[in-house]
Amino acid sequence: MDELLVSSRAAAKAGFHRNQKVHIILSSESCDLDSVVSSLAMAYFLSRTSSGPPGCSLVFPVLNIPRSQFHLRADVLLLLREAGITMETLVFRDEVDLARLHGNRRLALTLVDHNILPSKDSDLQGAVVEVIDPHILERTPSFSCPVTMEMVMSCATLVMEQILSRAPEILDQQLALLLYGVSVSCLSSAGVSVSPVAGKVRGKDSQMFQLLQTQFPDLPHRDALHSALRSAKFDLSGFTTEQILLNNMKTVAGGDLRVAVSIVYMSLDLFLQRTNLQQEICHFCQSHHLDAVVAMTISFNDQSDEPVRQVAIYSSNLLYRQEINHALLNSHSPTLCLSPASSPYKDILTYHQDNALASRRNVIPVLTHFLSDWWQREVHCGAGGEELEDQLDQSDVMIYDTFPVNEESADLSDADRLPHVYSACCHHQRRLQLGAGDYGNVEEDYRGRMMPPPPPMNSLVDGCPLDSSFNQEALLEKFSRMGGGEEEQVGMGNKRGVKFQ
């Protein structure tokens, strides 16, 4: 593997040969231990077997974060050092111009540990030739892009399965240590228990782990490696709030709404005690063009090795905050079992998550579905008149909030806790009027709740000047005096939204 990494790094620095087609194994944006090892192992496998797409003379892994952020992955750095891999031999996303390669028809992409590209990389979709991912499939399968998808605990298990079935001879001590480290981490730590009660230790993951132990008896002791990796992962001393959120972050988007989902390796109480936390998260959102952050904290109690999961939802926009809150509280696949926790901040909603088995991989699809619905509402906001009525029921464009949330609603009376109804379309119109950056200035009633704007004066609603006083004959007579032409033309003009003087 060392030779592959050194040659890949040299090729990336040189900008590749002019006509060279490149096959890149791209990790996920989280760039966690599983994603990094899976990209390294898959690239090594393809380089040794020459089984990639035709015409690609160079195959190498790319870690999907800037090089400057990699030092935050302390557990990944630890395992790579143990395997004799230095950071200097790795290639990072900011060191390769994927858009230029794709524009020159010189790029082939294999996605590992994720199966769809983020919105900022949507133009690269045509370059994807293979997907290997243990998460829920979000892409449309096609003959041109085979997908290996199975709900195992780690992507590395799926990569190792391919290696064992097609080229078992390349599994050496170095590669075995990398795969073993992922297995130990997934089976023993990072919020996953090995107890049968946890229900997360799947047969294939255990089989791969046992095979590595048997075939490579000199591998480190499981408990010692697990303890070292977990200590490195949970040591956040000296990290800023931004670094903690970036450490293991994935982004989901729908239309112009972007939400970061970060795993935070500390208790919720410690996270909330960080100095100027709300201001720091606000700055983080502005710097990374985010509308909201869902921080999923994970810690361990002293009595057992079972994880303690908690959730914090931040957005400076009340509507975004309550909608995301609503989506997570009403999740049924799985049910997160959220119960309110105390928060000292108005813009941060906090919860205990009683379902310790529900990890970020379960939350991402919930938010993806929510954002898909949001995007549909945003699109429908641009539709007009009869077309909008034909496309939507009222329920498609309304958002219901029935949940008191932390201090914002703790003091409301029972009468005030009746469902509040907001129009997504009206909210979008306010954003257009106020400017995309002014998310916080929204109309509120005397209790501080968001209120829809008054009905537009050109719509036939109660209280509109046109309501109950529309006179078609007078309108036609006026158009005749203005030289508006035939009645048929008047009718067409009205359908096209002619403005009346």
Side-chain angles (χ1 to χ4, degrees):
M1 184 179 293
D2 294 333
E3 182 179 350
L4 166 69
L5 296 178
V6 171
S7 62
S8 300
R9 176 73 177 153
K13 291 181 69 175
F16 313 107
H17 298 301
R18 180 172 299 177
N19 297 318
Q20 189 175 34
K21 191 170 183 180
V22 183
H23 184 190
I24 288 178
I25 315 304
L26 189 65
S27 79
S28 71
E29 287 185 298
S30 67
C31 211
D32 58 8
L33 190 64
D34 185 22
S35 185
V36 170
V37 169
S38 295
S39 61
L40 297 178
M42 190 63 188
Y44 182 58
F45 163 68
L46 292 174
S47 68
R48 291 290 303 273
T49 58
S50 302
S51 55
C56 291
S57 57
L58 179 63
V59 55
F60 66 93
V62 170
L63 305 187
N64 203 5
I65 58 171
R67 178 177 288 271
S68 60
Q69 293 182 14
F70 195 57
H71 73 282
L72 304 175
R73 277 71 172 174
D75 57 330
V76 181
L77 288 169
L78 173 64
L79 183 61
L80 293 183
R81 282 197 301 267
E82 289 295 316
I85 296 174
T86 64
M87 185 173 171
E88 289 71 27
T89 62
L90 302 174
V91 180
F92 293 87
R93 177 60 189 272
D94 56 338
E95 298 169 339
V96 182
D97 191 344
L98 299 185
R100 182 178 62 84
L101 288 172
H102 183 48
N104 295 332
R105 299 183 180 180
R106 295 168 51 201
L107 177 65
L109 279 178
T110 289
L111 308 182
V112 293
D113 203 34
H114 61 307
N115 62 77
I116 57 171
L117 290 166
S119 56
K120 64 183 176 67
D121 289 332
S122 57
D123 291 343
L124 303 177
Q125 183 57 48
V128 179
V129 296
E130 186 175 4
V131 169
I132 303 173
D133 186 31
H135 301 98
I136 295 174
L137 188 63
E138 298 178 65
R139 67 183 297 116
T140 303
S142 66
F143 292 107
S144 61
C145 179
V147 175
T148 302
M149 196 283 292
E150 186 174 347
M151 295 299 288
V152 294
M153 290 184 61
S154 74
C155 186
T157 292
L158 301 178
V159 174
M160 183 177 169
E161 185 178 35
Q162 289 203 24
I163 293 173
L164 292 177
S165 64
R166 298 169 59 185
E169 67 279 0
I170 73 169
L171 187 60
D172 56 17
Q173 183 78 20
Q174 183 185 49
L175 181 56
L177 176 57
L178 293 174
L179 296 169
Y180 177 75
V182 175
S183 292
V184 167
S185 180
C186 286
L187 293 174
S188 306
S189 68
V192 177
S193 171
V194 296
S195 67
V197 177
K200 276 200 159 188
V201 178
R202 295 177 171 87
K204 188 169 290 187
D205 297 288
S206 297
Q207 290 170 10
M208 297 297 176
F209 175 78
Q210 292 167 5
L211 186 150
L212 290 169
Q213 276 190 319
T214 302
Q215 193 166 336
F216 297 90
D218 293 334
L219 289 171
H221 190 274
R222 167 182 175 162
D223 292 341
L225 183 58
H226 159 54
S227 178
L229 290 173
R230 191 167 97 171
S231 295
K233 178 182 290 187
F234 281 79
D235 183 9
L236 301 179
S237 56
F239 282 16
T240 66
T241 299
E242 179 180 31
Q243 290 173 331
I244 289 173
L245 294 173
L246 284 174
N247 184 30
N248 198 332
M249 181 183 84
K250 289 188 176 182
T251 304
V252 289
D256 61 352
L257 182 57
R258 299 181 73 244
V259 180
V261 187
S262 297
I263 297 177
V264 175
Y265 298 105
M266 62 174 62
S267 69
L268 179 63
D269 286 342
L270 286 177
F271 185 60
L272 293 174
Q273 290 171 17
R274 297 188 62 83
T275 305
N276 299 322
L277 177 65
Q278 183 166 302
Q279 293 90 329
E280 291 289 327
I281 302 181
C282 180
H283 180 265
F284 174 75
C285 287
Q286 293 172 352
S287 301
H288 298 275
H289 309 291
L290 298 165
D291 298 289
V293 172
V294 176
M296 302 186 67
T297 69
I298 181 170
S299 57
F300 294 87
N301 58 43
D302 298 331
Q303 285 72 36
S304 70
D305 202 37
E306 294 297 320
V308 176
R309 293 186 182 273
Q310 295 163 301
V311 177
I313 304 168
Y314 167 83
S315 178
S316 61
N317 183 293
L318 175 61
L319 181 60
Y320 293 166
R321 194 164 62 247
Q322 290 192 337
E323 281 216 37
I324 295 171
N325 170 68
H326 179 85
L328 296 182
L329 282 171
N330 287 275
S331 168
H332 297 293
S333 183
T335 300
L336 301 181
C337 301
L338 299 179
S339 57
S342 176
S343 170
Y345 299 105
K346 179 187 71 172
D347 293 345
I348 302 178
L349 309 179
T350 53
Y351 293 94
H352 302 291
Q353 180 184 316
D354 295 333
N355 182 3
L357 302 183
S359 63
R360 182 173 61 183
R361 74 164 60 189
N362 304 113
V363 170
I364 289 288
V366 174
L367 292 176
T368 300
H369 179 73
F370 154 68
L371 290 174
S372 176
D373 288 347
W374 176 275
W375 171 235
Q376 291 298 319
R377 292 196 296 268
E378 293 281 276
V379 170
H380 292 147
C381 284
E386 297 176 358
E387 180 183 355
L388 178 61
E389 294 177 2
D390 293 339
Q391 291 175 351
L392 299 175
D393 294 324
Q394 186 181 20
S395 60
D396 290 324
V397 295
M398 304 310 287
I399 303 157
Y400 298 88
D401 174 26
T402 60
F403 300 93
V405 284
N406 293 358
E407 283 78 10
E408 293 186 26
S409 57
D411 297 329
L412 297 182
S413 65
D414 290 340
D416 290 328
R417 290 176 181 171
L418 293 173
H420 306 154
V421 183
Y422 307 105
S423 167
C425 294
C426 292
H427 169 70
H428 185 52
Q429 290 168 4
R430 284 202 303 276
R431 286 185 55 196
L432 293 176
Q433 294 167 358
L434 295 171
D438 193 358
Y439 292 175
N441 297 331
V442 294
E443 296 180 44
E444 298 180 345
D445 67 0
Y446 64 94
R447 291 188 178 93
R449 298 188 305 225
M450 294 182 56
M451 297 292 291
M457 299 302 289
N458 63 342
S459 60
L460 298 179
V461 296
D462 292 340
C464 174
L466 295 180
D467 186 30
S468 72
S469 61
F470 181 80
N471 190 320
Q472 183 177 8
E473 293 181 0
L475 180 62
L476 295 178
E477 181 180 353
K478 184 174 182 179
F479 262 74
S480 297
R481 291 198 302 267
M482 295 171 59
E486 298 295 326
E487 291 184 9
E488 182 178 354
Q489 291 177 326
V490 172
M492 291 299 294
N494 194 19
K495 289 183 180 179
R496 292 171 182 168
V498 172
K499 295 184 179 180
F500 305 121
Q501 299 298 324

